[in-house]
Amino acid sequence: GAVVSQHPSRVICKSGTSVKIECRSLDFQATTMFWYRQFPKKSLMLMATSNEGSKATYEQGVEKDKFLINHASLTLSTLTVTSAHPEDSSFYICSAREGGQENSPLHFGNGTRLTVT
Amino acid sequence: AQKVTQAQTEISVVEKEDVTLDCVYETRDTTYYLFWYKQPPSGELVFLIRRNSFDEQNEISGRYSWNFQKSTSSFNFTITASQVVDSAVYFCALSEKGNFNKFYFGSGTKLNVKP
């Protein structure tokens, strides 16, 4: 089955620093990837849709200058949390769909647990 | 309004019991897709099943079965003879033909299976 790899799985950083999270599709090409955020004991919240070769599409209320997304190739999307603050601490998960069918399921990475001190 | 409702926040059962996780959805699209995902304590979401709106056939996969009822807009998930390894948070999700890249997730049901 489709595999999505996410790195790092866990990161602790100090307030004011930036953190980059990588998401790779390992055995398929993904022109579109999705970045979600999950708060403890909560559902997944779509942050943005990452598009290869063009700008990401952000959901309402998500600061695009805060959460920089770059989709440089058909297998790699990165999310950079800039000038991180403790309220950015969360579980970030990327996903991608294998194939272009509209009913293709999302395949998720292992997630990145970000802690900002 | 919530597109996907999972009314059961948390369920606890004893091993070998059967358990049903409820999922009710809302959409105006005539073509849509429903999914179930499992999120174990490790955090990774694992895809379990997809159902197209035009395919009302129910499905069984080992101890797992899914009951899709268009008349009640429900897509329930039953685990037969539950095991401790089934302990996880289960999410139901919906995508619509009109905007199929947008997934609507329910709030999840945490299943605790005790030995």
Side-chain angles (χ1 to χ4, degrees), chain B residues 6 25 33 40 46 59:
Chain B
Q6 293 180 256
Y25 62 91
Y33 312 102
V46 179
E59 186 159 336

Side-chain angles (χ1 to χ4, degrees), chain A residues 43 59 97 102-103 106, chain B residues 33 37 44 50 100 102 106:
Chain A
S43 189
E59 294 298 301
R97 309 177 78 161
E102 60 191 38
N103 64 348
L106 288 175
Chain B
Y33 312 102
Y37 286 86
E44 179 187 359
R50 169 193 60 212
F100 58 85
K102 178 93 173 177

Side-chain angles (χ1 to χ4, degrees), chain A residues 25 30 61 87:
Chain A
S25 56
E87 56 264 31

